[in-house]
Amino acid sequence: MSENKAMESENSTVNQTMTPAAVDPVEVKNPNTYVGPKEVTQLITSENSQSSNGSKKPYPKSVFFIVGNEFCERFSYYGMRAILVLYLTDWLQFDKDVATVIYHSFVVLCYLMPIVGAILADGYLNKYRTILYLSLVYACGNIIMTFTSFPPPFWVGPVIGLVLIGVGTGGIKPCVSAFGGDQFSADQERQRSQFFSIFYFAINLGSFLSMIITPLIRESTSCFNSSCYPIAFGIPAILMIIALCLFFFGRNLYRIYPPTGSVVKNFFCCIGRALRNRCRSKSDSKEHWLDYADDHYDAEFIHDVRCVLKTFVLFIPLPVFWALFDQQGSRWTLQSIMLDREIGGFYIPPDQIQAINPILILLFIPIFEIVIYPILDKCRIPNRPLQRMVSGMTFAALAFVIAGCLQVKIDNSLYFAKPSGGESSVDFVNLSPCPLNVTSPWNTNEVLKSKMQTEKSIVESTNHTLLIFPTANDASCQLLDNAIQNVGLVSEKGYHIITARHRGRLASKLFEHPLERPSTGGSLVGLLFAGDFAAPPSRLVLTHVSSLKVYDYQCQDFDATPYELIPPGSYHVSFEYTGNSTSSIQLNDFECHDGAIYTLALHLLDETSRKPEIHQLLECPATSVSIWLQLPQYIIITVGEVLFAVTGLSFTYSQAPESMKSVVQAGWLLTTAFGNLIDVFVAGVVRLSNQAVEFFFFAILMGLTTVIFAVMAYFYKYVDEAYYELDSQTDDTQDLASSAAPVAVDPVRKDKENT
């Protein structure tokens, strides 16, 4: 979610300084001319050259293709990711733990691939080719996700699609903003800064709109008796194809640099060489184990690697924060399904609630920078970067305490008696015009009035003999016969024994109904036709009052329809004869709520007049806890994000050696990957039985990690102590970052010096 956007914003800053802007690339008239032994393809028109009278260079037209590409790509990524968990549980029928494991495994891949993408762009391909090739992979993944969401549901195709999307989006993540910075010359610093502001705005706009629109499409459209995932995934796929086309169409305007060697690759190669040489060395000893790489790397580069490793030690506790933060798209989304999502007559899709985070992050960042941090400075309250990060981790722990308390409240409100192993739930429903005497092994001689229902009983799952007969002797019951019903009950199932007037006689029949709430929100509704509705032909029509969506059911002869997931809200109900002359009878409106299971039993008040009536049976109560109660945990964890993520990005950038900015940035992204691995482990291996217990577990884990990190922060020595004095202004961080403009160069190697 918005942590990606914060990271991409920081990537913009890092990549801006890492762009070799100090030396302008050779501009050529022919955009396909090759310069020098390396393929330096300068795809830029001559109009971008600075004129002889010293006039200012125009804004590069190429960046608008890059900004459009980023907007569409972010829309595609966040739109797909927003509905992913519900797709896994609703359509592919994975349980919540498996869906959580798949979701966070996908996020892990997305945050491991930036290292690969950076190495490909800087060491082998250039940024343009890396973005183009991996975007093709990305688009293929979206297309696979779209077409494999058609029935029948099968998990192999979606998994392949997720892998391709993870490779694509992660691989291009470190390249797009840097490629945009490459389009500017050394004397266009101000224009470059404006570009990164526009770029960051495109990221936020694309992600916010997708997190609003895609869940709404999923919720409001249906196909194949479920949410229409082919359309919901098709929209992000189309946006990714548009992103790819936009990027390709600007190819004749781009300024492209050749690969100059990857700092990230050299960093890891230096460590590997040092370890290898140390293991082989038997005599000489070095001051530091990294010094064993001095046969290939110079002292300055080795020193920078040592500084980065020192910073990486501080990164060790950080993944726990991301383990909590990224559950907004998994566990918190699944929690919202169990809440009453009605607000002012409108129903919020459970996967749309995540859109609160980007709204809050855009609101909180200026508040903290302009108001809160200056107030803390004036009050001389310590708020160094690491102290802010400790506070952010504390807020994350508090958010999960609130989430756990809310889950306890939800569990208490949703409790109803369900059968366990060897048991079944059963009740009697009298839809005949006569009072009945009901005799069963668990219910002896109970009189059941017309249109009444007994309490649900939990009974042994076996065969039972039931005796049902009318108790009245009036004319309306003279034609009814005694009914002896033999029923076989299956373990952990729910049943209605419906008695109604059918073709002039008393008829009883056993109907099964579901007991498990819908996993994606909404209501489960089944139609039960208690009587002779086969002739003349007829149908029952439910029309959603808000969306005007129609659900049409063909009436049957003493039978029932499968249960169908429908959106919550009010429905107009009409009964229509569909024979030679169509006539319609308006019945009572039907109101359904989130999480509930309903059976609508249609029966005839009088077989002669054939006037129908709807009797509503509630199998599972609706949720009663408002989704408003989830808002505090979103607010608190977003505060934690501002304190932790935004501050942490600035801190790691300022502490990194000039030649290692991209390496530290890669390490920061890896903390997100490892954090999601923690989620995979907890959901897939630990598998805590209760969701509230899991939330409290993460809160405790975050609390312990915060204490450890606070101790590490206390002993940490900042690179520039004078800069972090309490009386300094908070905006100095930006000034310091903007004043440093290191150039990405390969380390000077001893073998090159000897040559």
Side-chain angles (χ1 to χ4, degrees), residues 116 183 466 486 490 526 578 697 724 727:
V116 178
Q183 307 310 304
L466 315 175
N486 294 313
V490 179
T578 57
F697 166 78
Y724 292 106
D727 58 351

Side-chain angles (χ1 to χ4, degrees), residues 14 64 106 116 160 165 238 269 408 447 499 579 590-591 606 654 740:
V14 173
F64 296 104
F106 168 69
V116 178
I160 294 173
I165 292 173
I238 292 172
C269 288
V408 171
V447 176
T499 303
F590 164 58
E591 182 84 20
D606 186 342
S654 66

Side-chain angles (χ1 to χ4, degrees), residues 485-520:
Q485 182 80 13
N486 294 313
V487 297
L489 306 182
V490 179
S491 176
E492 300 183 42
K493 299 289 186 180
Y495 297 95
H496 291 301
I497 299 174
I498 304 292
T499 303
R501 192 169 182 174
H502 181 242
R503 299 178 182 176
R505 294 182 177 276
L506 181 69
S508 295
K509 192 171 182 180
L510 186 70
F511 292 93
E512 182 182 334
H513 63 80
L515 293 173
E516 294 296 330
R517 285 185 170 84
S519 61
T520 58

Side-chain angles (χ1 to χ4, degrees), residues 179-467:
F179 188 64
D182 287 350
Q183 307 310 304
F184 297 87
S185 303
D187 57 349
Q188 292 182 296
E189 183 68 29
R190 185 171 180 272
Q191 291 175 317
R192 185 189 288 115
S193 298
Q194 290 175 345
F195 160 74
F196 284 119
S197 297
I198 298 171
F199 187 85
Y200 184 52
F201 177 79
I203 292 171
N204 282 277
L205 182 63
S207 58
F208 171 71
L209 290 178
S210 68
M211 295 168 72
I212 293 292
I213 295 173
T214 310
L216 193 61
I217 292 173
R218 181 204 60 79
E219 180 86 355
S220 60
T221 59
S222 64
C223 52
F224 314 116
N225 296 320
S226 180
S227 296
C228 202
Y229 288 102
I231 296 178
F233 282 125
I235 300 299
I238 292 172
L239 265 292
M240 189 58 219
I241 294 172
I242 294 174
L244 178 59
C245 292
L246 279 175
F247 185 75
F248 180 73
F249 289 157
R251 66 191 184 281
N252 290 327
L253 298 174
Y254 295 139
R255 177 181 304 211
I256 302 175
Y257 290 92
T260 57
S262 172
V263 177
V264 176
K265 177 185 175 183
N266 292 329
F267 173 81
F268 288 109
C269 288
C270 178
I271 294 175
R273 192 173 189 88
L275 292 173
R276 184 180 58 184
N277 289 347
R278 183 181 182 183
C279 293
R280 292 177 177 178
S281 177
K282 298 181 179 179
S283 57
D284 58 330
S285 60
K286 304 284 187 179
E287 180 182 353
H288 192 276
W289 63 271
L290 277 172
D291 293 334
Y292 285 95
D294 60 4
D295 63 327
H296 201 66
Y297 297 91
D298 64 8
E300 182 180 357
F301 184 78
I302 293 174
H303 176 268
D304 289 348
V305 174
R306 290 174 62 178
C307 293
V308 170
L309 290 180
K310 176 186 174 184
T311 305
F312 280 179
V313 171
L314 205 61
F315 283 6
I316 293 175
L318 304 189
V320 179
F321 176 88
W322 299 118
L324 275 66
F325 184 86
D326 277 337
Q327 290 188 48
Q328 292 178 78
S330 57
R331 293 303 200 191
W332 284 16
T333 297
L334 294 172
Q335 185 187 59
S336 67
I337 293 173
M338 298 180 282
L339 296 169
D340 180 9
R341 296 177 284 111
E342 181 183 5
I343 298 178
F346 296 94
Y347 286 86
I348 300 177
D351 40 359
Q352 197 179 65
I353 192 67
Q354 305 170 59
I356 292 176
N357 179 261
I359 297 174
L360 291 176
I361 196 70
L362 292 176
L363 177 66
F364 285 167
I365 287 178
I367 291 176
F368 273 81
E369 292 292 339
I370 299 173
V371 180
I372 295 180
Y373 291 152
I375 290 176
L376 293 177
D377 287 336
K378 289 182 180 180
C379 297
R380 302 190 66 80
I381 297 175
N383 65 107
R384 286 180 164 187
L386 292 180
Q387 292 167 330
R388 294 178 187 177
M389 293 176 68
V390 170
S391 299
M393 297 165 77
T394 304
F395 274 102
L398 178 60
F400 267 69
V401 171
I402 295 175
C405 293
L406 177 61
Q407 189 64 45
V408 171
K409 184 177 181 65
I410 292 171
D411 293 341
N412 292 336
S413 68
L414 295 181
Y415 174 78
F416 71 101
K418 290 195 297 185
S420 56
E423 296 178 335
S424 303
S425 171
V426 62
D427 62 6
F428 294 90
V429 181
N430 181 14
L431 297 179
S432 75
C434 306
L436 301 176
N437 186 292
V438 177
T439 300
S440 66
W442 60 89
N443 218 337
T444 305
N445 295 329
E446 180 175 355
V447 176
L448 190 61
K449 295 181 180 180
S450 178
K451 294 186 287 186
M452 295 292 290
Q453 177 182 5
T454 65
E455 294 289 334
K456 292 183 181 293
S457 301
I458 305 298
V459 302
E460 182 182 0
S461 300
T462 185
N463 294 323
H464 298 280
T465 300
L466 315 175
L467 179 61

